[in-house]
Amino acid sequence: MGDGSVNVEDDVADNPAEQLQADIADRMSALSEVVDTPVGLERTSGAFDSSDVDFISGSWMSRLADVQGWLSLDRDLTTDSADEFAGQLVLSLGLERSPEFLDGSGSVPTLRLPALSALYERLEQAVRLQSKFREAFEAEGGTREAASRLWNEAWDDEAEIEDVEPLKPVSAIASTWPISDFTDSELNLTPSYQRGDVWGTPARQMLIESILRGIPLPSVILLQPKDPLQPFEVVDGKQRLTAILRFVGCHPLALDRVEAADARHSLDGSLLRAFREDYPRFKKMWKAVEHEQVTSGVEDRYYFPFRLRSNSRGLIGPLAELQGKYYTQIKDSVIHAADESLTIKRLFERSPAYRIPVIIYKEASQSQIHEVFNLYNKQGMHLNAEEIRNAIYHELEITKATLVAAGDADPRAVVGDIAPSLTPVWPRVQHLGQTLSSYGFGESRYRRTKILSWIVATLLGDTFDPELGKWKDLPSTARHIDNLLAETKRDPASRLNQPEVVGDLFSWVADVARLHAAYDEELWSPRFKDGGSGQKWQELQLVGSLVGLAAASLAIGEDFEEVLSENSELIYAASDTASQGEESSIWARPMKTQTKTQWAFIARVALEIPSLLDVDATLASAAIRQRFGTSGLESLSAVVRDDER
């Protein structure tokens, strides 16, 4: 029976559908075994064995319903009707309710091969992220709340690929480079999509210790520009390469600073020679001519070399003599790495057996690179959605502006060099990164960029499908952001490709964020912000409330702050109705983690705020569309209408 349906009699090993069924049953059983669950995920039954998952009788649906919370689907799967359950499942997997994916002709609905494959992939993700939750919860000092937050963020970081073009071979090569190829090559360590240097000294020291012990490093990912005169861009591996370049005294920023001081004091290259050959002597010279003590803080600020750790468990036995030393002090020491004895100088400055894997992209489309990055994530490279997005869409002005406005760009970079659109409006926008930090969103892994991207995509992301004549369901946060950027990239005439429009966009959002924060105590009940403590904002509440204020502000115009101040008590009273788990209040954060449920919460809050300020959401949407060429408010209204049905 070759139609891909599940009612077959062939041997499992020879039938892909039955093989997938067996794999699905195994993953479902694994999900049922964990007792502890994230906040908002109800455990509906005990553990079951894979043999309890029967696809012939249809009992697999009740078993899947038991563990569906772990799959983070965009809707609850009803168990009232087998046909409805299967139909909702294929829709939640991003497929269509059609014979290609679902056969409903028999007494029991059956999933066809493409749907089985999609379900298996979702279960694979669920098992992997369930393991992350369990590890975080069981770690020393771990809490259910912290582990739940990690689990939710991990689902949101799962890169989702939309096949917007036929898949073609990727023009990329995998190679290995000796360390000297990195230290001798001109590399762009700070392309516009890269964050600043976030590793602390201990992390850098441990990396160098790993190299000295011969431990292989993960791959470095480079993009080769079309212009042969331009340097390779470092997509992944910046923190590792920065540590290596600093350790051996080859970081370009450090060399530029030393060369400038050498010339300024007419030292004929002696300061630079000391820097390269005798770093402790260089520190004394620097203090004498620059009147500045070279502390570890100065070394970090100037990208100067750093010491190895003292009393390190990583450097024991023959390597113990290296502890606490700089590179110039140990480069003639002999070590054993990559199955050969060699000097440390040869390890870092020649071409020994020890090498670092390198992947170089040449001619690859954005979607192909996205696809490969997603594969890396599943294999453990752990690039998150923001890191992937910044690499994939880095050429778009809106992407660059988001990174800079959120405060996640390299702090040493000039704003106009990364995002020219922000230069004219920077005095209005520059507070935004700090404002996001004050909300409780830190610098780690582009968290501020994520929340700002989410706000922008919610304001502008239009899901209307002209072929269907209706608004499609809002996808995951990551997919919704990607869809807006992909559409902007596809349409060169998009207003979001115009620098003045991008500058206007972030001025608008920054102005609203300023008022949102300035009137914090007057507008927002602690019960709404984060469920009671009132110290930090949670993501859903912040996105919904900021989008609501932004929509109202554009409709009201110059008098917005006055109107907001006059009606602050009204908004506070409404937000004070929030209490975790009280679904009767639109301001109550939903306990369930489904995408659909979370979007419904954001939509209701975002649309309620204009209403409280006597603003028609339709008029607000028209104002947004007129100014930026697109609006996401109708999509939010569609979510509310769908949720009420």
Side-chain angles (χ1 to χ4, degrees):
M1 192 169 183
D3 62 354
S5 63
V6 300
N7 295 327
V8 291
E9 304 295 337
D10 301 332
D11 184 76
V12 170
D14 297 327
N15 187 286
E18 287 198 353
Q19 181 61 63
L20 277 171
Q21 290 171 2
D23 292 338
I24 287 169
D26 181 65
R27 301 314 186 269
M28 288 166 58
S29 173
L31 290 174
S32 75
E33 293 173 358
V34 176
V35 175
D36 296 307
T37 60
V39 174
L41 194 161
E42 297 181 5
R43 181 176 171 83
T44 57
S45 67
F48 55 82
D49 190 74
S50 59
S51 61
D52 296 326
V53 181
D54 183 8
F55 282 84
I56 296 177
S57 67
S59 66
W60 65 272
M61 288 181 276
S62 62
R63 293 304 185 185
L64 183 62
D66 289 340
V67 298
Q68 64 173 300
W70 286 111
L71 274 64
S72 191
L73 299 172
D74 63 1
R75 69 196 76 200
D76 283 326
L77 303 178
T78 179
T79 55
D80 295 339
S81 161
D83 288 334
E84 188 61 23
F85 180 96
Q88 290 178 350
L89 174 61
V90 294
L91 292 175
S92 295
L93 294 174
L95 306 175
E96 298 175 1
R97 198 166 179 169
S98 69
E100 180 183 357
F101 305 108
L102 179 64
D103 182 2
S105 61
S107 58
V108 175
T110 57
L111 301 180
R112 294 194 179 275
L113 193 59
L116 287 171
S117 297
L119 176 58
Y120 170 72
E121 290 178 6
R122 191 74 178 188
L123 286 163
E124 272 283 287
Q125 290 179 324
V127 170
R128 178 160 48 85
L129 298 189
Q130 183 195 64
S131 177
K132 284 189 177 183
F133 167 80
R134 186 172 58 236
E135 290 172 4
F137 187 29
E138 295 176 354
E140 184 176 353
T143 65
R144 185 183 305 276
E145 289 72 20
S148 300
R149 185 167 55 252
L150 176 68
W151 180 77
N152 278 304
E153 290 176 355
W155 266 115
D156 198 41
D157 282 343
E158 289 289 300
E160 298 183 73
I161 303 164
E162 189 139 17
D163 293 330
V164 296
E165 59 181 85
L167 295 180
K168 302 174 184 177
V170 175
S171 180
I173 59 172
S175 182
T176 59
W177 285 10
I179 295 175
S180 59
D181 278 7
F182 294 103
T183 57
D184 293 342
S185 298
E186 185 180 357
L187 299 172
N188 183 359
L189 290 165
T190 56
S192 60
Y193 49 84
Q194 277 284 15
R195 56 184 167 172
D197 301 294
V198 296
W199 274 16
T201 299
R204 292 189 288 266
Q205 291 169 323
M206 286 189 285
L207 178 91
I208 300 302
E209 289 177 12
S210 298
I211 294 173
L212 294 173
R213 294 167 58 198
I215 296 174
L217 298 187
S219 296
V220 170
I221 302 176
L222 306 175
L223 287 179
Q224 181 175 332
K226 293 181 179 179
D227 183 352
L229 299 179
Q230 295 298 314
F232 286 97
E233 292 183 2
V234 178
V235 174
D236 189 57
K238 172 186 175 177
Q239 308 301 326
R240 281 168 274 149
L241 293 181
T242 297
I244 292 170
L245 293 173
R246 279 193 57 191
F247 180 67
V248 299
C250 287
H251 198 286
L253 293 178
L255 292 174
D256 288 346
R257 183 174 292 274
V258 174
E259 289 174 354
D262 198 300
R264 188 166 55 250
H265 298 290
S266 303
L267 297 176
D268 297 326
S270 61
L271 187 65
L272 183 60
R273 283 194 297 275
F275 181 79
R276 288 173 166 168
E277 299 172 5
D278 188 350
Y279 185 70
R281 179 169 174 266
F282 162 82
K283 291 173 67 174
K284 296 177 181 178
M285 293 178 65
W286 184 270
K287 183 179 180 181
V289 299
E290 291 288 306
H291 309 292
E292 181 180 36
Q293 182 77 32
V294 182
T295 63
S296 59
V298 169
E299 288 174 344
D300 284 347
R301 191 160 63 249
Y302 294 164
Y303 291 84
F304 284 177
F306 54 88
R307 300 175 186 268
L308 292 172
R309 290 189 297 175
S310 299
N311 302 316
S312 168
R313 290 180 295 176
L315 297 176
I316 57 177
L319 300 178
E321 65 179 22
L322 308 179
Q323 294 187 19
K325 303 287 182 64
Y326 288 103
Y327 174 71
T328 61
Q329 296 175 294
I330 63 173
K331 61 183 180 181
D332 293 326
S333 300
V334 177
I335 61 171
H336 193 81
D339 205 27
E340 66 173 332
S341 295
L342 72 170
T343 64
I344 292 176
K345 179 177 180 178
R346 182 164 179 263
L347 174 64
F348 283 94
E349 299 183 34
R350 299 291 184 271
S351 297
Y354 183 90
R355 302 201 166 213
I356 298 175
V358 181
I359 298 172
I360 303 173
Y361 287 106
K362 294 182 178 180
E363 297 295 332
S365 69
Q366 302 298 331
S367 61
Q368 287 172 324
I369 296 176
H370 200 163
E371 178 190 14
V372 176
F373 279 2
N374 185 44
L375 177 62
Y376 293 160
N377 273 357
K378 291 179 179 179
Q379 294 176 340
M381 290 190 68
H382 309 304
L383 294 171
N384 71 13
E386 261 34 70
E387 291 167 320
I388 294 173
R389 184 175 298 115
N390 285 327
I392 298 303
Y393 297 107
H394 73 277
E395 77 277 17
L396 295 178
E397 182 64 24
I398 190 173
T399 305
K400 299 174 185 177
T402 305
L403 185 71
V404 174
D408 286 335
D410 190 328
R412 295 172 288 108
V414 177
V415 169
D417 290 346
I418 300 178
S421 62
L422 295 185
T423 299
V425 298
W426 188 239
R428 293 171 60 184
V429 175
Q430 60 183 341
H431 73 86
L432 191 50
Q434 185 56 47
T435 299
L436 292 173
S437 294
S438 72
Y439 288 136
F441 301 100
E443 300 178 10
S444 175
R445 304 202 72 183
Y446 297 105
R447 188 127 187 256
R448 293 176 298 185
T449 298
K450 174 198 171 182
I451 200 75
L452 184 55
S453 299
W454 191 351
I455 291 165
V456 169
T458 305
L459 284 166
L460 304 182
D462 187 354
T463 63
F464 185 76
D465 187 331
E467 293 184 3
L468 297 177
K470 64 178 183 178
W471 282 269
K472 296 189 294 185
D473 289 345
L474 279 161
S476 70
T477 302
R479 173 68 68 81
H480 193 48
I481 297 169
D482 284 347
N483 286 349
L484 177 65
L485 296 177
E487 182 59 35
T488 303
K489 180 178 175 63
R490 280 193 294 266
D491 182 11
S494 168
R495 299 204 69 201
L496 297 180
N497 284 316
Q498 300 173 16
E500 63 275 13
V501 174
V502 174
D504 185 30
L505 168 64
F506 286 96
S507 298
W508 170 43
V509 173
D511 288 346
V512 171
R514 177 181 58 79
L515 294 175
H516 186 283
Y519 286 84
D520 184 274
E521 294 183 359
E522 291 87 353
L523 288 172
W524 317 114
S525 165
R527 300 175 69 185
F528 167 64
K529 289 200 296 186
D530 66 356
S533 70
Q535 298 301 310
K536 303 294 183 184
W537 280 82
Q538 293 186 10
E539 289 181 337
L540 298 182
Q541 290 91 318
L542 181 61
V543 173
S545 57
L546 256 171
V547 168
L549 285 189
S553 73
L554 214 57
I556 294 172
E558 294 181 357
D559 297 330
F560 176 65
E561 184 170 359
E562 180 181 348
V563 173
L564 185 65
S565 178
E566 292 174 351
N567 292 276
S568 60
E569 292 184 1
L570 189 62
I571 294 177
Y572 187 95
S575 70
D576 197 42
T577 63
S579 180
Q580 188 110 357
E582 291 184 8
E583 300 292 342
S584 59
S585 170
I586 68 168
W587 299 83
R589 187 184 191 279
M591 294 292 291
K592 297 177 180 178
T593 60
Q594 287 95 342
T595 298
K596 188 174 182 179
T597 303
Q598 294 187 354
W599 274 121
F601 170 76
I602 289 173
R604 291 180 184 279
V605 169
L607 296 174
E608 178 69 7
I609 291 172
S611 177
L612 291 171
L613 297 176
D614 201 25
V615 171
D616 187 305
T618 303
L619 296 179
S621 181
I624 295 173
R625 192 175 297 278
Q626 181 180 20
R627 194 156 165 179
F628 302 106
T630 180
S631 170
L633 291 196
E634 288 107 324
S635 297
L636 296 181
S637 297
V639 168
V640 173
R641 290 195 300 270
D642 183 58
D643 192 55
E644 291 175 346
R645 283 201 290 267

